[in-house]
Amino acid sequence: MTIEIIEKVFGELNALKCKTEKEVEEARVRFLGKKGEITALFEEFRSVDGDQKRAFGRPLNELKQAALAKIEELRSSAQASDAAEGSGDDLSLPGEQYELGSRHPVSIVRQQIVDIFRKFGYDVAEGPEIEDDYHVFEALNFPPNHPARDMQDTFFVSAGHLNPLLLRTHTSSVQVRTMEKYPLPIRVICPGRVFRNEAISARAHCIFHQVEGLYIDENVTFADLKQAILLFAREMFGADAQIRMRPSFFPFTEPSAEVDVSCNICHGKGCNICKGTGWLEILGCGMVDPNVLEASGIDSKKYSGFAFGMGIERIAMLKWQVNDLRHYFENDLRFLKEFEGATEV
Ligand code: PHE
């Protein structure tokens, strides 16, 4: 036995390269197997004279440790490359197709309404969905015993004190928030989600969406309101759309009206969508009640304004002749796909 032989085996070990696990196993047998080179050196070591044992023992042990470490290292890198090669995937195949989603029809209509009013110079304002009694009812001139303030109609988050928290039942609360913080004149629309304690049916849901409009300036009249709604109806339902106003009541507007648009399906002849009347109800509106202006610190002698509110699902149903509101909440892909690309007004 000589030191040169041990160094030679060291050198071979260092130069070792293996691509596959099979080659690694062959290398292990070559160096460390029963008849391996290093095993043979250990055999030889047994017959080395006692006084020489010290000189060879240490380098021999180092050689064995280095061989074990090297084989381990080669094995794990061969395993990794075998896994990459042998995964069975055909890497030349085209990739898996991920379907692209499309915008929800309610979002499409909300955006259309926002775009129309932006063209008229309205800003967009938003407010919280969890509101207090003050912004949903009190500041909007609802009397203390109004039925909307009842558990039957409104979802309360906390009750039992003067200004309970609740889920807003209409976006009119954003009117109040806007009047509190915006400088005059105000011209905003407020899209958002609203909540009412209603049984779910083809015509009603406990969650739906509204867009509120508010315009306050000096000398705003009912004629301005009528013009804004007419222009909106023509943008949304077609250039030949007509509107009519019917007297109505809301605590926060005086006078108040409900607005119908001429039926865009039968063009006034009468069909089952408009129930033979030729008209479809689209929104509620009116002149902002002076009490509401004053509650938010606006001088009702100097300023006047109008407000309107419409249900987005309702507009979407009329526009696309969908006869069941629940389709908008079930998210059946067959339904949603019909609106792919429907972004034009
Ligand atoms: N907030 C009313 C509703 O939810 C709609 C409305 C808004 C009416 C603004 C008049 C003015 O029914």
Side-chain angles (χ1 to χ4, degrees), residues 31-88:
F31 289 100
L32 297 162
K34 268 196 188 139
K35 296 180 184 154
E37 292 180 33
I38 296 173
T39 319
L41 287 173
F42 272 89
E43 288 289 324
E44 214 182 317
F45 179 72
R46 286 214 242 148
S47 52
V48 166
D49 289 346
D51 57 341
Q52 297 221 351
K53 273 206 157 60
R54 281 178 70 90
F56 294 116
R58 219 174 118 131
L60 213 48
N61 271 323
E62 280 173 7
L63 177 65
K64 188 172 178 184
Q65 290 312 315
L68 287 168
K70 178 83 180 184
I71 296 290
E72 218 19 72
E73 179 198 316
L74 288 169
R75 178 167 289 141
S76 54
S77 69
Q79 270 169 355
S81 67
D82 280 3
E85 264 184 30
S87 60

Side-chain angles (χ1 to χ4, degrees), residues 174-237:
V174 191
Q175 281 187 38
V176 181
R177 296 220 167 249
T178 309
M179 287 188 281
E180 282 170 354
K181 68 171 190 262
Y182 274 44
L184 292 164
I186 288 172
R187 195 153 37 173
V188 291
I189 50 163
C190 326
R193 204 153 46 147
V194 299
F195 308 83
R196 288 182 195 176
N197 192 2
E198 301 231 19
I200 296 169
S201 71
R203 298 176 60 91
H205 206 286
C206 54
I207 302 176
F208 59 101
H209 299 80
Q210 288 189 327
V211 176
E212 191 83 9
L214 177 68
Y215 183 16
I216 301 176
D217 202 348
E218 290 178 41
N219 305 316
V220 177
T221 69
F222 201 91
D224 298 316
L225 168 62
K226 211 170 156 185
Q227 182 69 358
I229 304 286
L230 178 64
L231 291 177
F232 163 73
R234 294 196 165 159
E235 291 277 337
M236 183 52 98
F237 295 103

Side-chain angles (χ1 to χ4, degrees), residues 130-321:
I130 299 177
E131 258 294 5
D132 53 17
D133 179 280
Y134 177 80
H135 289 91
V136 178
F137 300 129
E138 183 78 33
L140 288 166
N141 206 31
F142 278 75
N145 52 358
H146 192 281
R149 289 180 149 171
D150 194 278
M151 297 277 188
Q152 297 299 317
D153 295 292
T154 299
F155 292 114
F156 283 83
V157 175
S158 73
H161 52 88
L162 276 178
N163 189 22
L165 287 180
L166 42 89
L167 300 184
R168 66 180 178 197
T169 56
H170 54 183
T171 43
S172 301
S173 53
V174 191
Q175 281 187 38
V176 181
R177 296 220 167 249
T178 309
M179 287 188 281
E180 282 170 354
K181 68 171 190 262
Y182 274 44
L184 292 164
I186 288 172
R187 195 153 37 173
V188 291
I189 50 163
C190 326
R193 204 153 46 147
V194 299
F195 308 83
R196 288 182 195 176
N197 192 2
E198 301 231 19
I200 296 169
S201 71
R203 298 176 60 91
H205 206 286
C206 54
I207 302 176
F208 59 101
H209 299 80
Q210 288 189 327
V211 176
E212 191 83 9
L214 177 68
Y215 183 16
I216 301 176
D217 202 348
E218 290 178 41
N219 305 316
V220 177
T221 69
F222 201 91
D224 298 316
L225 168 62
K226 211 170 156 185
Q227 182 69 358
I229 304 286
L230 178 64
L231 291 177
F232 163 73
R234 294 196 165 159
E235 291 277 337
M236 183 52 98
F237 295 103
D240 56 349
Q242 303 289 329
I243 59 163
R244 73 173 185 188
M245 290 180 138
R246 287 175 288 107
S248 186
F249 174 79
F250 300 101
F252 38 95
T253 48
E254 181 61 33
S256 305
E258 260 159 79
V259 178
D260 298 338
V261 65
S262 51
C263 180
N264 57 334
I265 296 149
C266 64
H267 298 279
K269 285 193 214 81
C271 66
N272 63 348
I273 300 277
C274 62
K275 299 204 184 68
T277 63
W279 296 97
L280 301 160
E281 187 193 322
I282 54 164
L283 56 82
C285 63
M287 300 306 290
V288 180
D289 194 296
N291 285 348
V292 172
L293 295 173
E294 296 290 341
S296 292
I298 295 173
D299 182 353
S300 63
K301 303 235 161 31
K302 189 162 174 219
Y303 291 97
S304 56
F306 63 71
F308 55 85
M310 64 185 103
I312 301 182
E313 284 84 357
R314 175 149 183 92
I315 302 283
M317 281 170 85
L318 299 178
K319 199 175 161 60
W320 287 315
Q321 292 135 48

